[in-house]
Amino acid sequence: MTIKTKPDIYRKSDNYVILDFETTNLDKGSATNPANQIILACWTVVRGQNAVHKHKFGSEFEMSELVHDVLAADYLLAQNVKFELQWLRRCGVNLRRVVPADTLLAEWVLNGNIKKPMNLGTLSANCGLSTKESVVDQLIKSGVCPSEIPKAWLLKYCKKDVELCWEIHKQQLPKLEANKLEHIYLTRCLVTAVLANISFNKMTLDPDRVRIAYDEAVAAKNKLEEELSHMAGDINLASHKQLAEFLYDKLKFQELTGYRGKLLRTPGGARLTDKETLEKLVARTPEQREFLTKYKELAKHEASITKSLLFYEQACRSHSGQYSASLNMARTATHRLSSSGVPITISLPDGSKQERGIQLQNQSRDFKRLYRASSQDKLIGEADSAQIEFRVAGDFANDPVAYYEVANEIDVHAFTRDTLNENGMKVDRTHAKPYTFKPLYGGRGGANEHPAVREYCEAFRDKYKAISKMQEHWTRVVLSNKKLRTPLGMVYYWPDCTVEGKGNYIKYTTQIYNFPVQGGATAEIVPIALLHFWHRTEGTEITLLMTVHDSIVSEFPPHERERWEHLSKQCMSTDVFEYLKTNYNYTFKFPLGVGTKVSTHWGDTKKETLYNVFPDGRETKRSKGE
């Protein structure tokens, strides 16, 4: 299996293929659009000291020679290799048999969290190479379909892309080795094959549930608008000036303040009325509390309708409730995955039409239940990597208190609730949960938050002393070196990190606390689990649908349920321990947690099976929500 591939494969192998496809240009040429077709493939086969340049004009059904060469190679190289992988899948290639390599991903890994252009033209210029064929490049960028471009022009253009990609690759490999990033690069590349494969699997909505949710949200929105209008009197709440007068003159809210107590206002000096400000305003009177409660609820319903429910309703009306989503790399600073929806045409309330997709990574958890399996004879399973970021932080720091609590499955949210309550902020466990890991990401409790939050953040740092000490050390390292290598080997950069204020705050502290932990959990560990799950489900009736930060979503017939449960636990724990030790030279010491839910709809059950799996093979199992 390709998951056994070693990080030095790209540097040591002399048996690989460099590939570039030219295709029709619907949806940017995506292979997931069945109306698109391959026009031309250009590839170079490298065997030892020999390089054979090949090309083929034709469709996916005429690429047998290319398929043979790809499957005979140790790895496949391309710029943005996910695109080529998707087309190879349409050519009949089992992507589990391909080890990808990608100049774009290599540059992303080398850049860390620094955002830079990574297109082929820019990379070529940075490497001192000649630029792409400009005429064809400009034609394609202007929207001309490659099928309309003269074949001789297109062939020269495509061959040049292959040549440039190869030369860039040869310059990147020594940099990856010198910076000890080969293992990070390998993981990114291997996971790309999983993402390419997932993109062909559609998400399925339940039309009845969507209609009810949409109608309820619209009704609630209309009701809240009437109530707020009655409270505010004869003013236009959409007017920033009138809303500011109502908030600060009539209701007497205190304006937010920043550094040294300076009032936060717009560049023009106007009082703030944006959503972020309203989220932070502190209510001290019954009238203020009533307004904020209703306003925040209205904003929630408006966001639900415009960002999600309208899309869902239209997908059910015009697309049988199914749509595709794309999981992407090379978009985020932490290196976790992002997602973008493949656009569909929807009708807006004003009668206009718009192309719109849905971003699955950040949709409300409340909407998961609107998704069902693709057929009535299948179930949806969600496997969640429990408390993964806290466990990663504890493991990095070797924190004994965190280890004891994780190993003994102690409820960390109860400590949050009790600490907040002791300091005058009366909340139950559910409402305390959002604060639990706030200090893990540099949170200290702001001037516009309840004083109990600050007390809790102090208590967290005092309780998990090793984690706190480690993160404070990270900030000093970055201040000195302008970069940080995480325990898993990823490197993040803050070239302009300085001391601010009176010398007691290091710029980017929140990011420095956050990136190694979030990156280690959801850019390394969860994708590693995803990679293993995809490989281990080969030949089964389990279909991988989606991953959302710390979870893996799939569907299967009822008779595969036991196998799905076993593989989910194995891939999110044992396989991760082994892969980290083998490819990252890192021994993970904390147990990893796995929670599994199965229902006809995504996450639509209170019953959950929870595993705590230790590196030595011990495990515990319990159920909740029976």
Side-chain angles (χ1 to χ4, degrees), residues 525-597:
I525 288 178
V526 175
I528 288 169
L530 177 75
L531 173 66
H532 284 79
F533 185 83
W534 181 57
H535 277 278
R536 291 197 182 278
T537 53
E538 182 177 13
T540 72
E541 295 178 71
I542 300 170
T543 301
L544 179 56
L545 295 176
M546 181 58 52
T547 178
V548 181
H549 295 322
D550 57 2
S551 65
I552 297 173
V553 184
S554 48
E555 68 174 18
F556 44 85
H559 68 264
E560 290 276 29
R561 180 169 181 168
E562 185 176 345
R563 187 190 342 225
W564 171 83
E565 184 92 13
H566 170 73
L567 292 179
S568 295
K569 179 188 67 174
Q570 177 180 356
C571 296
M572 301 186 88
S573 58
T574 308
D575 285 337
V576 170
F577 294 138
E578 181 181 345
Y579 188 92
L580 287 178
K581 189 171 185 177
T582 301
N583 281 6
Y584 285 61
N585 194 28
Y586 184 88
T587 300
F588 203 88
K589 304 167 289 297
F590 272 47
L592 286 171
V594 184
T596 60
K597 288 184 176 183

Side-chain angles (χ1 to χ4, degrees), residues 11 56 81 89 158 179 184 197 237 241-242 264 361 367 397 463:
R11 179 165 41 89
K56 178 69 177 180
V81 73
R89 185 183 187 273
C158 193
N179 286 279
I184 301 289
N197 201 71
L237 290 175
K241 181 176 183 297
Q242 292 182 44
L264 298 177
Q361 299 291 71
F367 295 151
K463 182 181 183 182

Side-chain angles (χ1 to χ4, degrees), residues 366-521:
D366 296 337
F367 295 151
K368 293 197 302 185
R369 65 181 186 83
L370 303 183
Y371 292 89
R372 62 172 176 82
S374 60
S375 61
Q376 293 183 348
D377 60 347
K378 290 186 178 180
L379 300 169
I380 285 190
E382 179 178 25
D384 180 79
S385 193
Q387 294 181 334
I388 183 62
E389 294 181 359
F390 178 59
R391 293 172 190 245
V392 165
D395 194 88
F396 284 176
N398 200 22
D399 192 298
V401 177
Y403 182 87
Y404 177 83
E405 293 184 343
V406 168
N408 292 280
E409 301 178 59
I410 293 173
D411 183 5
V412 296
H413 301 300
F415 172 73
T416 314
R417 175 200 62 205
D418 295 344
T419 305
L420 292 173
N421 285 340
E422 289 168 5
N423 288 279
M425 185 176 173
K426 302 304 179 183
V427 293
D428 58 20
R429 180 182 178 278
T430 299
H431 291 90
K433 287 175 70 173
Y435 296 98
T436 295
F437 299 122
K438 184 182 180 73
L440 190 62
Y441 305 115
R444 295 182 177 273
N448 300 300
E449 292 184 293
H450 194 290
V453 177
R454 177 176 289 275
E455 295 298 326
Y456 168 71
C457 291
E458 289 293 336
F460 180 97
R461 285 190 291 275
D462 185 63
K463 182 181 183 182
Y464 305 110
K465 290 183 174 64
I467 293 177
S468 179
K469 184 178 180 180
M470 172 187 69
Q471 292 181 310
E472 290 172 358
H473 173 69
W474 286 348
T475 61
R476 293 192 295 271
V477 169
V478 173
L479 181 62
S480 175
N481 301 332
K482 311 306 179 188
K483 65 180 181 179
L484 178 71
R485 184 179 296 276
T486 75
L488 292 183
M490 182 63 192
V491 182
Y492 296 108
Y493 301 89
W494 291 274
D496 59 337
C497 180
T498 57
V499 175
E500 293 188 336
K502 297 179 179 180
N504 58 358
Y505 178 76
I506 296 176
K507 188 178 181 181
Y508 301 118
T509 289
T510 301
Q511 289 185 12
I512 297 167
Y513 275 39
N514 177 21
F515 284 16
V517 174
Q518 188 185 97

Side-chain angles (χ1 to χ4, degrees), residues 296-336:
K296 290 177 182 179
E297 193 67 18
L298 173 61
K300 177 182 175 182
H301 287 299
E302 287 178 334
S304 295
I305 293 168
T306 58
K307 293 182 179 180
S308 301
L309 289 170
L310 181 60
F311 175 88
Y312 298 156
E313 196 271 341
Q314 292 286 316
C316 290
R317 186 190 300 273
S318 306
H319 297 269
S320 303
Q322 291 193 318
Y323 71 92
S324 299
S326 175
L327 289 164
N328 310 310
M329 285 193 178
R331 303 284 179 87
T332 65
T334 59
H335 278 234
R336 72 195 298 180

Side-chain angles (χ1 to χ4, degrees), residues 353-367:
K353 294 186 180 296
Q354 186 180 96
E355 292 288 308
R356 184 178 295 181
I358 199 76
Q359 213 278 53
L360 277 172
Q361 299 291 71
N362 293 327
Q363 68 177 347
S364 170
R365 288 180 175 269
D366 296 337
F367 295 151

